[in-house]
Amino acid sequence: MDTRYEGPEPLIGTNLDHADLLRHAGTQAQQRGFDDVFIVDADFHHTERRSWAEILEYVESDVLQHFLKAGGRGQMWIPGLPDGGVIQEVAGRIHPAQSWADSRNELTASQRDVQLCREAMDSMGSNFLSFFPGWLLDLGTFGYDLEVPLARAWARWATERVLPADPRIVTLLPLPLGSPDEALKLVEEFADKPGVQGFMVTSLRYDPLYTKPYAKLWRAIEERGKLLGFHASFTTQDRPVRQLNKFISVHSVGFPLFQIIQTTNWVINGMPERYPNLKILMIEGGLAWVPFLMQRLDHEYLMRQSEAPLLKRLPSEYMREFFYTTQPLEAANLDYLEMTFDMINAKTQVLYASDWPHWDWDPPSRIWDLPFLDEAEKRNILGYNASRVFNLPIPDTMTQPPAPDSVGLSTKG
Amino acid sequence: MSIVSQRTRVGVRAEVADNKRIMAHVDGREIVVFEHRGRLYGFENLCPHMGGPVCEGKLAPRVEAVLDSDGAVIEERFDKNEWRIVCPWHGVEFKIEDGVCAADPKYRLRRIEANYDGDDIYVS
Ligand code: FES
């Protein structure tokens, strides 16, 4: 029997470009009047594979730079990093982001990234986006020799080549937490750079972030009024995850798993009491894990309070003061989603994120079309919440949010 | 009931040859017509998942898992009797025979009758 498959058949034309893919997002924005809706995309990625050679120019050690360039033979290469990119695109069924370059070959890598940001913002109707790496989200697994230089290289590249090109592009810089001292140095060096609205824990990592060596780091971020994000990622290497034989399984479990681990450690070790003004944003884990963890931690805390002596309230109460990005919005059952929004206090704590250009991205219409939100809640989630958390200005020409106290908003966040 | 109000010519045979597709605007809707294995298919180019350009996606056959009598998976293989169009936004698959989503039948594409009349292609 012939079980061979010759491969997917051609598309309209031969190459579905970035702009083609986003055309319907542009139509959605027009139909919904997004030109008067302040929208912040709190999680947007570039494909650093395409910018890798340029980023490597910012690696400060000549020897390491040479090593990474030679090892990669011109392509992105990080020792030990598994290449799951093809699987992300559902074995080629979805148009791969890597093939968008064709019409932009005259641009440098960073110019191309900026151009793709602008095209996405213009199509989706967003006013700002938070620009993040992709593969470097696994920074916490690279080991000290690579983690520190690559975090520094990305920070330098982003702040010199990308953020200055368009004030609508901001970021949270990934921290090299394998070295608390180096992470603190990165905060001190980059916190005041334009577009750096905060810093990021790449959640897939094994460092005890609640311990003394990190205390100065968290205090430094808190004192500067910067945001601390935790960006989810996944691994196929951890023992429990290695049982999962399909990408759907690894991805479904992996992203929330590391958010659950980071949140549990952060809350149970009393970090919200120790750093009460440090704003926490959980990114790209979806939302469905949050009610689970709230219930689970509250249940156990009741019986084992002595193990979490710093807490003055239930764990879920601290979690309700965290901020969460929407994507990937688990919306298969809207009744469950509505309950989740209610438990998280979404109208003040949830920030829209596209996660473009990844395979499970959400356009802004995903929020606007939710039947259980009123317009004020939609506007909060799409942009006003992010305006407060990221400290971003809303243009005078657009509808402004109501005063925080008139809608019961926390003035803390 | 069809979403196209009247029989409308959208192109000619050569425009769907070699796996090309016709995109047209009829009654304010974006529609796509393509030929697969000698048959014409027409759908509104609007994905019921989140509104993506579904008909600009790739065609792929169903994947099936084959079990032995003990229930062990022997292999996974392509079933080329069932082809699907894969939305390029998130990869949701719709059967081209009826437009129904392979994972959840509550999602379905809007089908449009597409026929040859000589070398011309009409939707209705
Ligand atoms: S919009 Fe088509 S798969 Fe999501």
Side-chain angles (χ1 to χ4, degrees):
Chain A
M1 185 182 297
D2 177 19
T3 56
R4 252 176 9 96
Y5 165 40
E6 299 83 6
E9 304 202 351
L11 311 172
I12 293 174
T14 52
N15 206 349
L16 196 54
D17 189 67
H18 188 244
D20 296 330
L21 264 180
L22 284 171
R23 186 167 43 85
H24 278 210
T27 307
Q28 291 179 349
Q30 258 180 1
Q31 288 168 340
R32 289 158 183 79
F34 283 168
D35 53 353
D36 186 45
V37 179
F38 180 70
I39 298 176
V40 177
D41 182 347
D43 182 21
F44 181 100
H45 292 273
H46 78 127
T47 306
E48 71 263 57
R49 185 184 298 276
R50 305 273 325 186
S51 313
W52 195 237
E54 203 178 276
I55 294 168
L56 286 185
E57 298 301 325
Y58 290 83
V59 170
E60 287 152 343
S61 156
D62 290 349
V63 173
L64 182 62
Q65 192 185 105
H66 178 256
F67 172 71
L68 289 171
K69 280 181 178 172
R73 289 177 287 280
Q75 296 163 352
M76 183 169 180
W77 174 76
I78 298 173
L81 184 69
D83 187 350
V86 177
I87 310 172
Q88 289 254 2
E89 313 294 353
V90 204
R93 286 175 178 78
I94 306 179
H95 203 72
Q98 280 76 12
S99 61
W100 294 343
D102 303 350
S103 61
R104 300 169 188 81
N105 279 345
E106 74 285 3
L107 302 176
T108 65
S110 48
Q111 285 171 343
R112 176 181 177 277
D113 282 330
V114 170
Q115 174 68 14
L116 292 173
C117 286
R118 288 176 175 151
E119 288 176 15
M121 281 190 285
D122 291 346
S123 297
M124 295 186 212
S126 48
N127 299 82
F128 287 93
L129 63 76
S130 190
F131 178 81
F132 294 139
W135 287 113
L136 292 190
L137 295 175
D138 290 357
L139 197 60
T141 64
F142 291 176
Y144 179 85
D145 286 352
L146 286 175
E147 181 178 6
V148 173
L150 287 178
R152 288 191 59 77
W154 198 86
R156 292 180 62 211
W157 174 79
T159 55
E160 290 181 28
R161 304 293 286 269
V162 177
L163 306 186
D166 194 320
R168 297 176 298 167
I169 304 173
V170 300
T171 194
L172 310 177
L173 291 177
L175 292 168
L177 292 161
S179 165
D181 291 344
E182 287 290 340
L184 177 62
K185 190 173 139 196
L186 191 130
V187 169
E188 289 168 340
E189 196 175 327
F190 290 92
D192 294 332
K193 303 273 187 198
V196 176
Q197 308 308 99
F199 297 89
M200 185 208 281
V201 176
T202 52
S203 295
L204 168 56
R205 63 173 52 255
Y206 311 96
D207 309 289
L209 303 180
Y210 45 82
T211 55
K212 185 170 168 53
Y214 294 95
K216 276 191 172 54
L217 171 67
W218 310 132
R219 187 68 77 211
I221 298 173
E222 182 186 43
E223 283 172 354
R224 286 166 173 78
K226 296 289 178 180
L227 175 61
L228 181 64
F230 286 76
H231 196 301
S233 187
F234 68 97
T235 177
T236 55
Q237 302 304 310
D238 278 346
R239 192 66 199 260
V241 182
R242 274 162 59 186
Q243 302 175 59
L244 301 172
N245 62 331
K246 304 277 189 177
F247 182 83
I248 181 177
S249 315
V250 173
H251 192 270
S252 297
V253 172
F255 274 69
L257 175 65
F258 286 96
Q259 298 302 68
I260 286 170
I261 289 169
Q262 298 296 351
T263 301
T264 301
N265 269 339
W266 198 263
V267 171
I268 295 302
N269 288 290
M271 303 295 270
E273 291 292 345
R274 291 150 72 179
Y275 309 98
N277 296 313
L278 184 54
K279 293 175 288 187
I280 301 296
L281 175 65
M282 307 306 291
I283 304 164
E284 209 187 325
L287 297 176
W289 63 273
V290 185
F292 154 72
L293 190 63
M294 285 177 161
Q295 295 175 78
R296 186 76 178 177
L297 292 182
D298 283 1
H299 170 75
E300 302 235 349
Y301 175 70
L302 194 65
M303 300 176 282
R304 306 182 76 92
Q305 186 277 335
S306 62
E307 292 180 11
L310 285 169
L311 300 197
K312 296 183 177 147
R313 295 176 281 151
L314 292 173
S316 64
E317 294 179 49
Y318 296 102
M319 287 179 66
R320 273 171 75 86
E321 291 175 353
F322 285 13
F323 297 91
Y324 302 88
T325 62
T326 50
Q327 187 279 339
L329 194 72
E330 296 101 340
N333 183 311
L334 291 178
D335 291 337
Y336 300 162
L337 184 65
E338 184 176 6
M339 187 181 297
T340 301
F341 271 46
D342 189 43
M343 288 184 72
I344 299 177
N345 200 20
K347 66 176 188 243
T348 62
Q349 304 310 115
V350 167
L351 283 60
Y352 162 71
S354 76
D355 192 40
W356 183 260
H358 293 162
W359 66 280
D360 54 347
W361 75 288
D362 288 331
S365 61
R366 190 65 159 164
I367 302 302
W368 193 260
D369 295 349
L370 287 175
F372 55 80
L373 296 178
D374 65 28
E375 185 174 328
E377 291 166 337
K378 293 173 184 179
R379 285 180 180 268
N380 281 348
I381 293 168
L382 280 172
Y384 295 157
N385 292 344
S387 159
R388 290 185 297 126
V389 177
F390 278 82
N391 196 21
L392 299 172
I394 301 167
D396 293 340
T397 51
M398 301 187 80
T399 300
Q400 301 292 309
D405 49 2
S406 73
V407 287
L409 289 179
S410 157
T411 49
K412 187 173 142 193
Chain B
M1 198 176 77
S2 174
I3 59 170
V4 175
S5 63
Q6 58 186 359
R7 190 165 178 263
T8 307
R9 181 180 173 281
V10 292
V12 295
R13 192 180 292 266
E15 291 174 88
V16 294
D18 304 323
N19 292 317
K20 293 198 292 283
R21 304 181 201 186
I22 293 171
M23 186 185 290
H25 289 86
V26 179
D27 292 348
R29 295 178 195 273
E30 192 171 274
I31 66 164
V32 167
V33 174
F34 58 92
E35 191 186 69
H36 183 72
R37 296 185 161 193
R39 255 194 71 183
L40 281 177
Y41 297 87
F43 295 102
E44 184 177 16
N45 189 27
L46 189 67
C47 182
H49 180 228
M50 289 191 214
V54 55
C55 295
E56 292 166 71
K58 296 179 178 179
L59 291 188
R62 181 176 86 99
V63 174
E64 64 180 2
V66 183
L67 305 181
D68 71 10
S69 58
D70 296 326
V73 175
I74 305 170
E75 64 167 343
E76 291 185 350
R77 66 187 180 195
F78 291 111
D79 169 12
K80 291 191 192 169
N81 294 314
E82 182 180 315
W83 285 79
R84 293 145 175 206
I85 192 154
V86 186
C87 179
W89 268 15
H90 309 99
V92 175
E93 298 184 18
F94 299 89
K95 291 178 266 185
I96 61 173
E97 286 309 314
D98 55 11
V100 174
C101 172
D104 185 344
K106 81 166 176 271
Y107 295 108
R108 60 170 65 214
L109 300 183
R110 289 203 164 107
R111 279 187 63 210
I112 292 153
E113 275 306 318
N115 298 105
Y116 287 116
D117 186 344
D119 267 353
D120 293 331
I121 296 174
Y122 283 85
V123 295
S124 56

